[in-house]
Amino acid sequence: MTNRYFLTRKLIPGLAAAAAAVTVSLSASAEPVKIRIQWSVAPAHITPLITQAPKGIYKNYGKSYVVEPVRMRGSGPALQGIAAGEIDLGGMSIQALVRGVKRAKLDLKVIAQVMSGGVDGYGSSEFYARDGEITKLEDLKGKIIAVNALGSSIDAAVQAQFGRLGWKVGRDYQVVEVRFSAMLPALQSKRVDLAPLLTPFNLIAKKKGGVKYMFNMRDALGATETLQWIGRADWIQKNRAALVDFMADHIRFRTWLYDPKSREEVLATLSKVTKRPAKNYASWVFTKTDNYREPNALVNVARMQKNVDDLVRLGVLKESIAVKNYIDLSIAQEAAARVNK
Amino acid sequence: MTSRTPPAETPSSGGISIRSVCHEYRPARGRPVLALDNIDLEINDREFVAILGPSGCGKSTLLYLLGGFMPLQQGGISVGGRDITGPGPDRGIVFQNFALFPWKTVRQNILYGLEKQRLPKDERERTTRHFIDMVHLTGFEDSYPSQLSGGMKQRVAIARTLAINPDTLLMDEPFGALDAQTRSLMQEELLAIWNRSPTTVVFVTHDVREAVLLADRVVVMTARPGRVKKIIDTRFEGGMNAEIAKSRPFLDRVDEIWDLVREEAIVAGSAGAG
Amino acid sequence: MARTLGNDTPGTAGHSARRAFETFGPYLTISLLLIAWELASRLELVIAFLLPPLSVVIVRIATDFASGQLPMDIAITLYRTLVAFALAAIVGVSIGILISRNATVRWFFDPLISIGLPMPKIALLPVFMLWFGLFDLSKILMVAFSASFQIIIATWAATQSIEKELIWSAQSLGASRREILREVILPAAMPQILTGLQIALPICLIVVLITEMIMGGQGLGDSMLRSARYVDSPGVFAGIVEIGIVGFCVIRAMEVIRRRLLVWHQETREETTV
Amino acid sequence: MRLVHTLWRFTPLLLLAVVWEAVSRLGLVSEFALPPFSDVVTAFSRLADEGLWEHTAQSLYRGATGFACAVIVGVLAGVLMAWYRPVHILVNPLLRCLYPMPKSALIPLTIMWIGLGDNSKITLIFIGCLLPVVLSAFNAARGVDQVLIWSARSMGAREREVLWEVVVPAAMPEILSGIRISLALAFILLVSGELIIANNGIGYLIDILGEGGDYAGMFAGVVTISTIGFFADQGYVALTRRILAWRE
């Protein structure tokens, strides 16, 4: 009877207990507002660093709000998460904002800047080709171009740059999706002919040689508002007070990130979050080589509107919006006033 | 339910009445095959009847119908005066391929039917022990069927069926897979058991000598579709014993039935070849 | 087989209702689901972005079909699936049989298979991409690699469970090693091998779709990826429906093939599932 | 002697590691795509101090829960489908549509109904593991020798008793091999489920390491989960052998 005994006395109760565990739902929210923020890649997104910040920076953390970083790849799931009320803020691009408003018919508001590309004096995503075979842009005719995601800012930059030569995607060149970390090997093994190399991959590539710098995001699109925190207008309105507290703390956090005195601690925190050695970041992260992060997390409305117009002109976006209707700077402004007073 | 304490006398269960039974197999594709054609058969209470016939004549089908495993398509079957509606422990069956539960030990196999009778635990244990002893499997109680020889498995199957003390015993070539020696021992054993507590037995076989040896009457069936060709009385004066089995009348009876079966086997063979 | 246990007597009052249920039952569940879907979005129980109305999705599918985009995507996805499946089947069955017949091969593959089976093989996609490019070849090889483990295990288990007597009897009839393989081992192992293949085929389809979703390059997965990227939720849900339909057809086809190959097996009398 | 035997058994894995190391060191493939095995070992020892086990435990919890539910529901569903035709008629079309669906394609639906927490990942693992169990339980229950069922019934077993005392044990060998497939799938699914949405777990770790270009770390994660899967599989096979002791 061993088998029967095993089934009835051990296996079934064990499984039943496990099954019961699934049904136990997450406990209801506590007093402070829980702000669930979506992110995808660190340190472009600084969201996962928030919960690792030293004590004293997020002063109101646990009092009026708590933050839960949620990692979701891609703006599609992020928008779904926002629509379903499963996340509160998405770290998303302008394209995602426009599509979220126009296609998903969500009432969205941008409340803070996360990262801007191609800003004067700061770093910008760079595109590389294999050295020797391709010397100028025209050599890329009929070639394969790698982007991180179709419809992304990188994709838009490629379309903008080749658009100047009168080229069309599909007809004059092909675009394929390759994840950022695989860009360099894909380029080296001749699987693609042009690829964007984010820091630190561009630094590695320069050191090893074999690749040739072609252009950067700034050449293609000028300065762009690359990532911002976007949430549902009603949710933002309802939790405005908590958000102001959070933003005030977050502005302090940004100062800490860029403060030379806390450099070691910042690198250690980043290393802990990304599980990568700090030396990988030391030379560039949160410096002028890196993308630009507005100290007060304020969005540049004019720059964003120009981005949208450019993307519509390029055909990357089908619809346009007047971005000022979808931006709420008051939270960041109020927070900045409180911190800087 | 009657008492299950062996070896108790079984009260009369009444005989079996098979009236105009037809049975057709309907495969998913292809033409339906008539297996049994208008079978009429009366079997008396505590009578031992053997059914003989060429392979494919529907002997097993008839037995399965008696067991209530397959729905009756046409005609009627009653056991002890009641129409059968499905399988039940009043009719014990021994299958050709033993049908032991391979995941149960010898003891557990025999116990299973007794558990289904909702007997008290100590009675179940006692009965099981008794039947294990009876079929000479003492020492193999905790073996799994896969560890037993064909003859041993067959004995377990018989013990399992006898243990639930059915009013009627249905046996589908139960000794078919045994070697001659074991077979002859089992035949003797079965006769002994039956003599001690006679029950109605329907015994399907293709061994003429076995049929004549064991049965009160032998039913010879035709080749497909199966009909009753002839019913032959095979009772001998003074009951069956080793002496009679060597006697002239016995051998003549066997020869007589052999001729009947052979005729049908030839029909079946030519139909098969055609 | 279990059905025979029910009172499946033809001609009774419940019979026609049963027939109707047999015919229309399979569509009942799906239809109810689809109606619930349409209602949920029409009654705005969920916002259209999260669940666009079924009718919108159907219109979308029809448009894609008319434009030739959908047939093209299906053809590409199926082409990759079937080529990869054929590759996995050939490699998997061969290795599975070699393992069961040769101790050295078994020694070599046993731990590799054990560790490869639960490995998240999709993590190796970058390696496949760099070795075999971004297009069909890398996808097909990735898929074949992912699916072959299941087939090896199924084949190995199948050949192991063949009764020795079957092989011995073929040997005694003078069959050569190769003949035994082709005429005894393969047919006897076929039901279980086919079960392995039945499991592997949907895995192939799934992995094809996943590689398309990750690497793009046309096909149903790629079109779902594009829809997701451009926040086109009718497109995403059209993709889910299309995959469901294509998958259903692929599985059905596999069942038909299974039945054709296993006409001799008892299970062919019954319908198979998934 | 036993040790030698075990070592000999695992020698092919050692060979694999050597080939891996060689392929990478000789530059047959970019070290980004396939870092040398020795680097992976180094990365493993580093990650072991940096929360590898916490992430793994989190994933295993999800995997185990989803898998356990799949086994219970799958065996039940498969056997009932084989036994009661209406169940088969109603459930089968659903399974046929779900089976070949990449479970990640269902994420838009799970976000809506189940949210983003552990339960969404458990659900995807559950669905993914469910189908092989159902398939094997169904096929096995259907293939149970009719004579066994008859003999139980002739001994007075009721329909439900026949189901649990005859059909299920008789189908057990095939059901157990279906469960083995699901066990392996659970390890694959717990990783792939976490690649898209997760805050922790081995799949999350593999993904952020890969995204950061730490391929050695990523492979360390893959090797870790594969190794755990390997031992789970070996353990399962040993357990199966015990449960099916009656076969030999």
Side-chain angles (χ1 to χ4, degrees):
Chain A
M1 293 290 271
T2 32
N3 54 327
R4 275 286 306 282
Y5 172 80
F6 179 80
L7 268 175
T8 54
R9 299 290 154 80
K10 295 205 171 138
L11 198 57
I12 291 174
L15 298 184
V22 192
T23 56
V24 174
S25 55
L26 294 164
S27 58
S29 63
E31 279 293 293
V33 176
K34 190 190 240 178
I35 308 171
R36 293 161 300 182
I37 310 177
Q38 175 265 340
W39 63 283
S40 59
V41 188
H45 291 258
I46 50 180
T47 309
L49 300 174
I50 291 174
T51 50
Q52 305 296 326
K55 280 201 169 72
I57 289 181
Y58 281 96
K59 281 181 182 159
N60 294 299
Y61 193 96
K63 290 180 196 133
S64 58
Y65 70 92
V66 290
V67 172
E68 185 189 322
V70 179
R71 181 156 191 275
M72 292 171 94
R73 271 186 160 197
S75 52
L79 281 169
Q80 280 161 351
I82 291 176
E86 289 293 331
I87 59 167
D88 305 310
L89 296 176
M92 295 189 287
S93 64
I94 334 163
Q95 297 94 294
L97 170 69
V98 175
R99 291 179 189 129
V101 167
K102 286 292 180 183
R103 300 252 174 123
K105 310 252 186 289
L106 297 172
D107 186 10
L108 299 176
K109 282 268 193 282
V110 177
I111 61 162
Q113 180 257 24
V114 177
M115 189 183 102
S116 307
V119 174
D120 245 349
Y122 284 86
S124 177
S125 306
E126 297 171 334
F127 290 81
Y128 288 82
R130 263 192 320 283
D131 201 14
E133 293 162 54
I134 289 152
T135 50
K136 53 188 188 302
L137 220 48
E138 285 76 6
D139 296 341
L140 285 163
K141 182 129 186 165
K143 300 287 188 190
I144 301 167
I145 316 298
V147 302
N148 62 319
L150 298 169
S152 66
S153 307
I154 296 279
D155 190 15
V158 168
Q159 292 189 40
Q161 196 66 5
F162 289 126
R164 296 201 174 91
L165 298 172
W167 291 4
K168 278 216 169 338
V169 60
R171 192 188 67 192
D172 303 294
Y173 60 97
Q174 277 194 69
V175 167
V176 294
E177 278 198 13
V178 176
R179 61 192 294 184
F180 276 126
S181 60
M183 293 282 187
L184 182 56
L187 196 60
Q188 286 169 331
S189 61
K190 305 190 179 186
R191 296 303 170 193
V192 300
D193 302 292
L194 181 79
L197 299 180
L198 298 193
T199 335
F201 296 104
N202 54 349
L203 303 177
I204 297 169
K206 276 177 196 156
K207 202 157 58 185
K208 288 201 165 185
V211 295
K212 179 172 166 46
Y213 169 78
M214 300 300 289
F215 61 92
N216 66 13
M217 286 282 282
R218 189 177 156 82
D219 300 332
L221 291 171
T224 54
E225 293 296 82
T226 315
L227 290 171
Q228 32 274 320
W229 277 336
I230 302 174
R232 273 203 331 210
D234 53 350
W235 183 87
I236 290 166
Q237 201 48 49
K238 194 174 133 225
N239 299 295
R240 200 172 179 288
L243 279 173
V244 172
D245 285 350
F246 165 58
M247 284 310 298
D249 292 351
H250 185 66
I251 289 165
R252 224 171 277 125
F253 176 64
R254 289 198 176 200
T255 314
W256 176 75
L257 285 183
Y258 280 83
D259 188 348
K261 276 180 287 188
S262 54
R263 185 70 179 163
E264 290 293 308
E265 208 180 348
V266 168
L267 288 176
T269 309
L270 182 56
S271 165
K272 186 177 163 206
V273 167
T274 61
K275 313 272 182 225
R276 308 242 41 211
K279 67 172 167 51
N280 288 28
Y281 300 109
S283 67
W284 60 278
V285 81
F286 307 134
T287 67
K288 292 253 172 184
T289 317
D290 199 356
N291 282 291
Y292 175 67
R293 289 179 184 81
E294 216 283 327
N296 292 333
L298 288 171
V299 179
N300 185 325
V301 181
R303 186 187 292 159
M304 193 187 256
Q305 185 65 54
K306 180 180 174 296
N307 293 157
V308 171
D309 295 343
D310 287 346
L311 293 173
V312 171
R313 194 165 36 76
L314 287 164
V316 175
L317 285 176
K318 300 266 178 291
E319 303 102 336
S320 180
I321 57 169
V323 292
K324 66 176 190 317
N325 299 335
Y326 300 95
I327 296 178
D328 182 353
L329 290 180
S330 66
I331 294 169
Q333 280 162 346
E334 198 178 321
R338 195 196 290 176
V339 175
N340 301 328
K341 105 184 136 194
Chain B
M1 285 288 134
T2 51
S3 161
R4 298 292 156 193
T5 322
E9 272 295 315
T10 337
S12 164
S13 64
I16 300 171
S17 166
I18 301 168
R19 302 174 303 275
S20 323
V21 165
C22 297
H23 194 87
E24 205 177 53
Y25 282 104
R26 302 176 183 122
R29 55 196 79 191
R31 263 180 294 157
V33 179
L34 189 62
L36 294 174
D37 185 15
N38 210 18
I39 303 281
D40 276 297
L41 189 61
E42 293 292 328
I43 297 169
N44 300 323
D45 182 30
R46 295 178 199 184
E47 187 181 22
F48 198 129
V49 168
I51 299 181
L52 265 175
S55 10
C57 75
K59 322 182 275 278
S60 296
T61 306
L62 184 60
L63 206 65
Y64 295 160
L65 288 172
L66 280 169
F69 303 123
M70 297 193 294
L72 203 54
Q73 293 171 349
Q74 216 179 78
I77 298 179
S78 55
V79 174
R82 272 170 306 159
D83 284 346
I84 56 161
T85 51
D90 56 325
R91 281 153 290 137
I93 183 157
V94 180
F95 289 99
Q96 193 176 356
N97 295 322
F98 324 126
L100 295 177
F101 301 129
W103 57 91
K104 287 182 184 288
T105 61
V106 168
R107 213 169 59 82
Q108 290 163 352
N109 260 290
I110 298 174
L111 267 174
Y112 184 80
L114 300 168
E115 282 162 10
K116 294 302 129 197
Q117 307 304 308
R118 314 278 181 249
L119 294 187
K121 191 164 194 287
D122 56 333
E123 201 182 326
R124 287 197 311 243
E125 296 291 344
R126 204 168 51 232
T127 311
T128 305
R129 243 190 337 270
H130 170 85
F131 277 97
I132 289 174
D133 289 345
M134 193 186 85
V135 295
H136 312 297
L137 280 172
T138 319
F140 292 94
E141 292 90 340
D142 295 319
S143 303
Y144 286 107
S146 61
Q147 297 162 326
L148 303 177
S149 72
M152 290 159 100
K153 283 189 223 174
Q154 190 63 72
R155 297 204 306 261
V156 179
I158 290 171
R160 184 176 69 168
T161 308
L162 291 175
I164 56 171
N165 200 10
D167 304 332
T168 304
L169 204 51
L170 309 173
M171 302 180 102
D172 189 5
E173 300 193 26
F175 307 143
L178 304 187
D179 59 277
Q181 203 178 350
T182 320
R183 190 177 181 125
S184 141
L185 280 172
M186 289 303 297
Q187 286 166 351
E188 276 171 37
E189 192 68 57
L190 179 65
L191 265 185
I193 293 166
W194 186 71
N195 282 330
R196 247 178 288 149
S197 59
T199 50
T200 313
V201 179
V202 181
F203 191 98
V204 165
T205 179
H206 57 252
D207 181 337
V208 178
R209 190 177 172 278
E210 183 175 78
V212 177
L213 186 74
L214 295 174
D216 295 327
R217 280 193 296 162
V218 172
V219 177
V220 180
M221 289 181 64
T222 64
R224 196 162 56 208
R227 295 189 203 93
V228 176
K229 184 180 172 85
K230 193 163 182 191
I231 300 174
I232 299 134
D233 200 315
T234 52
R235 236 173 309 211
F236 292 88
E237 286 294 321
M240 182 52 58
N241 57 47
E243 281 308 301
I244 289 177
K246 288 180 206 146
S247 71
R248 194 73 240 168
F250 179 89
L251 296 174
D252 286 346
R253 197 66 55 83
V254 171
D255 277 344
E256 177 195 345
I257 298 174
W258 238 121
D259 288 338
L260 291 168
V261 173
R262 189 153 32 218
E263 277 172 35
E264 289 308 316
I266 291 165
V267 174
S270 62
Chain C
M1 295 297 266
R3 256 191 298 165
T4 40
L5 287 162
N7 286 323
D8 198 11
T9 337
T12 53
H15 186 58
S16 56
R18 182 185 291 266
R19 278 268 299 277
F21 182 67
E22 293 263 332
T23 318
F24 300 109
Y27 306 99
L28 198 67
T29 328
I30 299 280
S31 312
L32 284 177
L33 258 175
L34 296 181
I35 291 168
W37 173 357
E38 180 72 15
L39 284 179
S41 49
R42 283 285 167 212
L43 299 175
E44 295 184 353
L45 299 177
V46 285
I47 65 172
F49 168 57
L50 288 178
L51 189 67
L54 175 63
S55 44
V56 172
V57 172
I58 289 174
V59 169
R60 173 60 183 268
I61 293 173
T63 322
D64 285 350
F65 196 86
S67 74
Q69 182 61 44
L70 181 55
M72 187 69 187
D73 282 339
I74 291 177
I76 289 172
T77 297
L78 278 183
Y79 159 75
R80 287 172 182 153
T81 306
L82 295 180
V83 172
F85 175 65
L87 203 61
I90 293 168
V91 173
V93 171
S94 310
I95 294 181
I97 285 175
L98 280 175
I99 282 179
S100 66
R101 287 167 73 83
N102 183 311
T104 315
V105 178
R106 180 159 58 242
W107 165 79
F108 183 72
F109 278 106
D110 184 24
L112 296 188
I113 289 166
S114 280
I115 206 161
L117 189 68
M119 183 170 65
K121 291 170 270 293
I122 201 75
L124 294 179
L125 190 60
V127 183
F128 278 78
M129 185 191 87
L130 293 177
W131 273 348
F132 307 110
L134 290 159
F135 300 100
D136 277 355
L137 185 63
S138 60
K139 291 194 181 79
I140 288 170
L141 290 178
M142 177 80 234
V143 173
F145 178 71
S146 300
S148 52
F149 288 91
Q150 301 290 355
I151 301 177
I152 294 174
I153 284 188
T155 309
W156 185 6
T159 45
Q160 264 186 325
S161 64
I162 297 175
E163 285 165 37
K164 295 272 174 298
E165 291 84 346
L166 211 56
I167 296 168
W168 291 340
S169 71
Q171 273 171 341
S172 71
L173 292 171
S176 68
R177 263 180 81 84
R178 178 174 300 187
E179 282 168 338
I180 288 175
L181 176 63
R182 202 179 56 228
E183 289 155 13
V184 180
I185 295 180
L186 273 181
M190 197 49 81
Q192 268 199 70
I193 293 180
L194 282 173
T195 303
L197 293 179
Q198 272 183 301
I199 291 166
L201 181 58
I203 292 179
C204 286
L205 183 57
I206 289 172
V207 182
V208 166
L209 291 164
I210 291 177
T211 58
E212 286 173 354
M213 284 180 193
I214 294 175
M215 293 163 66
Q218 297 185 293
L220 287 173
D222 177 50
S223 100
M224 258 189 96
L225 169 76
R226 281 169 198 272
S227 300
R229 290 280 187 257
Y230 295 111
V231 192
D232 168 18
S233 73
V236 171
F237 281 85
I240 293 179
V241 173
E242 287 154 14
I243 292 171
I245 295 171
V246 169
F248 183 95
C249 296
V250 166
I251 284 175
R252 263 315 276 157
M254 190 68 200
E255 286 169 12
V256 172
I257 293 170
R258 183 190 177 99
R259 278 212 210 183
R260 279 281 162 82
L261 290 174
L262 294 183
V263 272
W264 52 272
H265 199 265
Q266 61 151 347
E267 66 161 51
T268 33
R269 280 181 243 139
E270 299 280 325
E271 228 186 306
T272 52
T273 186
V274 282
Chain D
M1 197 56 218
R2 221 183 126 75
L3 181 74
V4 173
H5 179 78
T6 313
L7 278 177
W8 177 240
R9 253 196 83 200
F10 291 126
T11 310
L13 292 177
L14 204 70
L15 285 176
L16 181 75
V18 170
V19 171
W20 177 349
E21 183 78 17
V23 162
S24 187
R25 289 276 175 221
L26 296 174
L28 291 177
V29 63
S30 159
E31 64 177 287
F32 279 105
L34 193 65
F37 185 68
S38 47
D39 289 4
V40 173
V41 174
T42 317
F44 173 81
S45 61
R46 174 171 61 83
L47 287 170
D49 301 331
E50 291 179 15
L52 175 68
W53 300 119
E54 287 84 347
H55 284 292
T56 308
Q58 186 62 36
S59 294
L60 289 180
Y61 155 72
R62 290 172 188 151
T65 315
F67 170 72
C69 295
V71 168
I72 296 170
V73 176
V75 171
L76 266 174
V79 170
L80 291 179
M81 278 167 67
W83 202 244
Y84 300 108
R85 198 152 163 74
V87 178
H88 177 240
I89 288 174
L90 292 176
V91 175
N92 198 29
L94 211 58
L95 294 180
R96 278 188 177 139
C97 294
L98 259 185
Y99 195 21
M101 181 85 61
K103 307 309 169 254
S104 50
L106 298 174
I107 285 177
L109 288 166
T110 59
I111 289 180
M112 192 162 59
W113 282 310
I114 307 163
L116 299 173
D118 269 356
N119 290 354
S120 65
K121 268 139 272 178
I122 290 170
T123 306
L124 292 179
I125 295 169
F126 166 72
I127 297 174
C129 292
L130 179 68
L131 296 153
V133 181
V134 175
L135 174 67
S136 62
F138 176 79
N139 279 338
R142 218 169 31 127
V144 170
D145 192 350
Q146 181 75 75
V147 172
L148 286 185
I149 295 166
W150 284 352
S151 88
R153 298 208 69 186
S154 78
M155 285 187 278
R158 281 173 239 158
E159 190 159 352
R160 189 179 301 178
E161 290 170 336
V162 172
L163 194 57
W164 297 117
E165 293 165 5
V166 179
V167 176
V168 172
M172 202 44 87
E174 211 178 324
I175 291 179
L176 289 175
S177 70
I179 292 177
R180 185 178 175 197
I181 292 170
S182 282
L183 180 65
L185 268 180
F187 283 91
I188 295 172
L189 288 165
L190 64 84
V191 171
S192 58
E194 287 167 356
L195 292 181
I196 297 169
I197 304 168
N199 286 328
N200 48 30
I202 188 87
Y204 164 85
L205 193 65
I206 287 171
D207 201 40
I208 63 161
L209 290 170
E211 202 68 69
D214 182 3
Y215 274 63
M218 189 188 93
F219 274 96
V222 173
V223 169
T224 303
I225 199 72
S226 307
T227 308
I228 295 172
F230 171 78
F231 285 114
D233 186 59
Q234 297 282 308
Y236 180 79
V237 170
L239 181 74
T240 308
R241 223 170 272 144
R242 259 196 66 183
I243 296 176
L244 299 182
W246 50 266
R247 278 215 292 197
E248 286 314 325

